Amino acid sequence: MAELVAAVVQMRSTMEPSENLVALEQLVGEAAGRGAAYVQTPEMTGAVCRDRDHLLANLKPEQDDPIVKAAATLARRHAIYLHIGSTAIRAPGGMAANRAFLFGPDGTRVESYDKIHMFDVDLDNGESWRESRTYVPGERAALARFSVDGADVRLGFAVCYDMRFPELFRAEALAGANILTAPAAFTRQTGEAHWHVLLRARAIENNTFMIAAAQGGRHADGRETYGHSIIIDPWGKVAAEVDGDEPGVAVARLDLSAVDAARGKIPNLKNRRPFATDFTARAS
């Protein structure tokens, strides 16, 4: 049986990376101590900071970023694959990149991914977000392949708002992904409405595992995130979840053969057919 022991780490990151490094080390150590070979942290692991000027003034380039350095060390210390859901990295033009990282058990970087879709929305009760003011959107999907105890892992990347764009996950599934990911800092308002249903849908429609670590609770910058870090199997069943919004860890043992089993039952990836998209009105 090709199994992967996976963990999601739920955090309540503050505006200061030095404070979040302490929580990161403790929670990753807990996940590794519970047997996880792959550990995922949330979006904005390094800092949840709505103050654009404060965030940009304290950014580091990738090679100097404290979260990146610590993640490489932690992956090597615990001999795990450590997936930093994302952290803000200095980008050209005085902007930031919302960048995810995967580090291998030897501490080397396996893959990185920049969030593609910017959360530019106006919600109820006056809640409004404009990520495009601060972040440069990514331009490429990413897929990492590695082996753990005989399990052939093919991991597709996404971050938070990306989960509302199913074409990204479909492209990764067609490229061979058997695990999809969506680490997030989902707002409480949207999380209560859509978190579980969106993640279960992405798993079901692609017959893959879905792993999504999350930020949870009220943060120092005033925002409130939903939590409920989760691991979902290819049939849409919740395999593990951090209940609520408190920091914590959830672990699940993933039988990767379940992906082929689900695709055998409902081979929708194979049953796709091309179709025309000429929507010009036709006279009846």
Side-chain angles (χ1 to χ4, degrees), residues 95-167:
M95 299 283 278
N98 192 349
R99 185 166 297 165
F101 294 90
L102 179 67
F103 293 92
D106 60 357
T108 60
R109 190 183 76 168
V110 176
E111 184 57 275
S112 64
Y113 164 80
D114 287 0
K115 183 178 181 179
I116 293 173
H117 301 97
M118 299 290 97
F119 191 52
D120 290 358
V121 303
D122 297 302
L123 303 174
D124 293 339
N125 304 319
E127 186 176 356
S128 183
W129 301 90
R130 290 293 181 273
E131 283 188 342
S132 61
R133 290 187 62 247
T134 303
Y135 297 97
V136 178
E139 297 182 343
R140 69 171 187 95
L143 190 74
R145 184 168 184 170
F146 55 93
S147 180
V148 177
D149 297 329
D152 182 19
V153 180
R154 299 181 298 279
L155 188 84
F157 289 79
V159 175
C160 200
Y161 189 50
D162 284 334
M163 75 175 70
R164 294 184 184 271
F165 299 85
E167 60 272 22

Side-chain angles (χ1 to χ4, degrees), residues 82-105:
L82 179 55
H83 179 177
I84 298 297
S86 84
T87 197
I89 298 294
R90 182 184 296 169
M95 299 283 278
N98 192 349
R99 185 166 297 165
F101 294 90
L102 179 67
F103 293 92

Side-chain angles (χ1 to χ4, degrees), residues 21 24 66-76 82 84 101 103-104 107:
L21 280 170
L24 176 67
I67 298 295
V68 172
K69 290 181 177 181
T73 299
L74 287 169
R76 185 169 54 250
L82 179 55
I84 298 297
F101 294 90
F103 293 92

Side-chain angles (χ1 to χ4, degrees), residues 207 235 258-268 271:
N207 312 113
W235 204 246
V259 173
D260 290 336
R263 290 174 178 172
K265 294 173 185 175
I266 303 180
N268 58 304
N271 291 345

Side-chain angles (χ1 to χ4, degrees), residues 180-255:
L180 298 173
T181 66
F186 234 61
T187 69
R188 178 167 297 280
Q189 184 176 170
T190 56
E192 289 175 343
H194 300 147
W195 175 254
H196 289 86
V197 68
L198 283 172
L199 290 169
R200 292 185 67 204
R202 298 296 85 85
I204 292 166
E205 67 199 9
N206 293 295
N207 312 113
T208 60
F209 287 95
M210 169 60 77
I211 304 178
Q215 297 281 352
R218 185 168 295 278
H219 297 263
D221 73 344
R223 83 180 71 191
E224 193 171 4
T225 52
Y226 183 61
H228 292 272
S229 299
I230 199 166
I231 300 173
I232 301 167
D233 77 11
W235 204 246
K237 179 181 177 182
V238 175
E241 181 175 357
V242 178
D243 187 19
D245 62 13
E246 291 297 318
V249 173
V251 179
R253 187 175 294 274
L254 311 186
D255 176 4

